[in-house]
Amino acid sequence: MATLGDIGVSAGINILTAIIFLLAFAILRIQPFNDRVYFSKWYLKGLRTDPTSSSFVSKFVNLDFRSYLNFLNWMPAALKMPEPELIEHAGLDSAVYLRIYLIGLKIFVPIALLAWTVLVPVHWTNDTLDQAAKFDNVASSDIDKLSISNIPLKSERFWTHIVMAYAFTFWTCYVLLREYETVATMRLQFLASERRRPDQFTVLVRNVPPDPDESVSELVEHFFLVNHPDHYLTHQLVYDANKLAKLVKKKKKLQNWLDYYHLKYSRDQSKRPFMKTGFLGLWGEKVDAIDYHMSEIKKVTEEIAEERERVTSDPNAIMPAAFVSFKTRWGAAVCAQTQQTRNPTLWLTEWAPEPRDIYWENLAIPYVSLSFRRLIIGVAFFFLTFFFIIPIAFVQSLASIEGIEKKAPWLRPLIEIKFIKSFIQGFLPGIALKLFLIFLPTILMIMSKFEGFISLSSLERRAASRYYLFNLVNVFLGSIITGTAFEQLNSFLKQSANQIPETIGVAIPIKATFFITYIMVDGWAGIAGEILMLKPLIFYHLKNFFLVKTEKDREEAMDPGSIGFHSGEPRIQLYFLLGLVYATVTPLLLPYIIVFFGLAYLVFRHQIINVYNQEYESAAAYWPGVHGRIITALVISHLLLMGLLSTKKAAQSTPFLIALPVLTIWFHRYCKGRFESAFKKNPLEEAMIKDTLERAREPNLNLKGYLQDAYLHPIFKGEDDDDDDKIGTAKWEEDEAPIVPTKRQSRRNTPVPSKVSGGSSPSLPDTVQESPEP
């Protein structure tokens, strides 16, 4: 059982680690050769250039010693940019992400003040644990005396906890209500003021029914000319170009190696570079590296040409889906938010993600297989979550005095040394759990991709929701159960559901010290390590030394990354859960959480301003999920407090807590009905206003030209550097644009045949004339 001394040792180690990280960052960021790593966003925006230098040494090392005296000036600089400017600079997603940390401060600073003013004296002024230690030989620490464990059974003081639980809940709900309203307003204002984007005019239509007489392109055009005659503009088919994309990627990789070997040979022409063709160049035939890569590139180029020809001509490469663009935002909003036919499983429409948000590989997945894929992943996630508790329990058992003495009794003299013992009890469990979870976000993202979500934002939202569930079951409940009642785990699994809150409630106060150590490891030292960016720094210099040849290569080598919503937001939610659960149980935990939210807000604000380059912009579409997870944490805190008080035999006061989860769920439903539509739908009024203003300002706008290739697969846009790999837009339009008369008369839901067909048809003429059947 960790004591205040153990917590002090852990705090010292983590504070020292955080200070070292921050000092290292402050020094590294002002070195000229690191400028592109720590200010990469400004380089990508074209607003910053490489530092000028007068000598060779000054190209790498900052020789101005006065700048070292201002090594902390990044902190006020990170707070200086106002929120409207931050939104303009980094986008609404990033700005709202920072508000999650501010919500933590808004919620927990007043709660901590109230808890320390009221609850800590109520806990400390009892002698329950002293009496238990004196008469029953029950061990306890000073931390336990600050918790609800120090209050005797059937005490009238439990009324204080109930009153505080109501106060904390009402304050949390008030903050969430104001924040939900603020974020919803910010989102609508952002969408109203945002510049023209292709996704404002475009919907994704899926599950296009097959037709023996018309191609998918003809069928899509025919359907929308008939059912949206005044607003349909053009469409772009969805192609299964995944194999082609892999070949182009392979060729680019080979080209990079060829350039590297050319550069190596140009530096020393006395000998040709050689390599082995086996795995990682460790074995295999020894060949001339330049000749080998030239021949491989030639082979891949031929494969690319064949695959491109197949994709452009094979009907099986065309998916029953298309991006359909409209003349107005109003027309797109009507189509995206309505049912198109009697059969609700056909002609499914939804808002198209913005082009850079699309995960193109998943567009080639047949729609009918999505449900099956999600069932498979649902089952896999269940087993991952509930069987992961076994290795976590094993690691947690090893990361304790008892576990080490049991597995390695010869270490007993060493670990009984006071400092070593404090290190093990106060630091080792937290770092062990942190390391054990390091690959989890990647695993969950792979699972989300297999499920078939079509946008990066939806992939990250799904991975975030799963990560939160995993943290809830394994990190929170799992650490409590396996850490305090592992011997009773069999009986825990067999007991009735209404006894589970009681079992967990008893364990919660005992595990406060573990969560304090985890917060310091993950939330203090971990956040300080985030700003150091050690991995991107090393990779940038390796790439810059070996592979960079052009300015484009240098931009790719910077690789600033993004905020990582799928891994960062669930971590925040774990702290919300811990804070709300322990606010009434062990208020000692709250200051550690406040330090996390304050430090993380400062660090991530700096990173968003200077480093991260967000891959997409969803206009804070993730906010309802954030709100829902905080509400879930609040309800869990109510249930566990009821379970804890029931074990304290507070039969008279416990029933008064029943109203809290009911009121909280009602509050969530109110917020959902009041604000969530702003995150799911685009108001027609707002769309009409933007359309009207745009027509007034740009009466001659060629919208069709603007939208023509917005949703063309990137592999067909000629993004590869080599001319022989490019497929020009004009050629692609030529393949898709010929006017094809309809091959059939009116059928099903199309009362008249279309006059024109193709993936890039002109806008609908005033009169649709029938074309004769061939």
Side-chain angles (χ1 to χ4, degrees), residues 33-80:
F33 71 110
N34 293 329
D35 203 59
R36 284 181 173 266
V37 177
Y38 293 115
F39 298 95
S40 54
K41 187 161 194 168
W42 299 100
Y43 280 93
L44 294 176
K45 284 177 170 284
L47 301 175
R48 191 179 180 98
T49 57
D50 291 312
T52 56
S53 56
S54 56
S55 64
F56 177 78
V57 176
S58 60
K59 291 181 180 180
F60 301 96
V61 181
N62 188 346
L63 300 178
D64 182 7
F65 293 99
R66 291 173 298 178
S67 61
Y68 291 89
L69 301 177
N70 300 320
F71 64 93
L72 293 179
N73 62 355
W74 66 270
M75 294 185 179
L79 300 173
K80 189 178 296 184

Side-chain angles (χ1 to χ4, degrees), residues 308-351:
R308 180 179 289 118
E309 180 64 27
R310 186 193 70 81
V311 170
T312 56
S313 58
D314 185 2
N316 293 326
I318 300 175
M319 305 303 297
F323 291 99
V324 180
S325 298
F326 295 81
K327 299 175 183 177
T328 62
R329 297 173 180 84
W330 189 93
V334 169
C335 182
Q337 297 164 184
T338 55
Q339 182 173 314
Q340 302 303 307
T341 65
R342 290 181 181 178
N343 188 342
T345 64
L346 299 177
W347 295 100
L348 303 176
T349 55
E350 59 183 288
W351 280 108

Side-chain angles (χ1 to χ4, degrees), residues 100-138:
I100 305 176
Y101 294 104
L102 284 180
I103 290 176
L105 294 174
K106 291 177 183 177
I107 290 176
F108 289 116
V109 169
I111 286 179
L113 293 174
L114 190 57
W116 276 77
T117 304
V118 178
L119 289 177
V120 169
V122 170
H123 295 160
W124 183 259
T125 53
N126 285 279
D127 61 353
T128 304
L129 294 177
D130 290 335
Q131 294 295 325
K134 185 176 181 180
F135 296 106
D136 300 328
N137 250 348
V138 176

Side-chain angles (χ1 to χ4, degrees), residues 367-428:
Y367 184 82
V368 294
S369 70
L370 294 182
S371 298
F372 184 66
R373 283 170 168 260
R374 289 170 190 177
L375 175 62
I376 293 174
I377 293 300
V379 174
F381 177 71
F382 173 84
F383 284 104
L384 174 68
T385 302
F386 286 95
F387 282 96
F388 208 81
I389 199 171
I390 296 174
I392 282 184
F394 178 72
V395 171
Q396 292 287 65
S397 67
L398 290 181
S400 64
I401 296 293
E402 296 79 7
I404 294 175
E405 288 181 347
K406 184 177 180 180
K407 298 294 182 182
W410 52 275
L411 287 175
R412 182 173 298 175
L414 177 63
I415 62 179
E416 288 298 331
I417 298 174
K418 186 175 181 181
F419 176 79
I420 302 297
K421 186 175 182 180
S422 297
F423 175 83
I424 294 173
Q425 291 186 324
F427 181 76
L428 192 58

Side-chain angles (χ1 to χ4, degrees), residues 13 71 73 76 183 217 228-229 299 558 560 595 608 665 719 760:
I13 294 173
F71 64 93
N73 62 355
V183 174
S217 180
H228 298 268
K299 292 178 185 177
M558 285 191 292
V595 170
I608 285 171
I665 293 172
E719 292 182 350
S760 176

Side-chain angles (χ1 to χ4, degrees), residues 209-278:
D211 190 285
D213 299 318
E214 289 189 334
S215 66
V216 174
S217 180
E218 294 168 339
L219 190 61
V220 169
E221 183 198 43
H222 194 185
F223 180 86
F224 284 96
L225 282 174
V226 171
N227 295 288
H228 298 268
D230 298 325
H231 300 282
Y232 169 73
L233 181 63
T234 185
H235 72 272
Q236 175 60 58
L237 296 177
V238 173
Y239 294 87
D240 183 359
N242 289 346
K243 183 178 178 181
L244 179 59
K246 290 178 181 178
L247 289 172
V248 172
K249 185 177 180 181
K250 180 181 178 181
K251 180 182 177 180
K252 186 175 182 180
K253 183 179 179 181
L254 290 170
Q255 186 65 47
N256 282 338
W257 277 110
L258 178 62
D259 293 340
Y260 165 72
Y261 284 117
H262 271 304
L263 182 64
K264 184 177 180 180
Y265 181 62
S266 65
R267 291 173 178 172
D268 182 11
Q269 297 187 4
S270 61
K271 58 179 180 179
R272 299 273 292 183
F274 284 85
M275 59 170 286
K276 293 182 179 180
T277 58

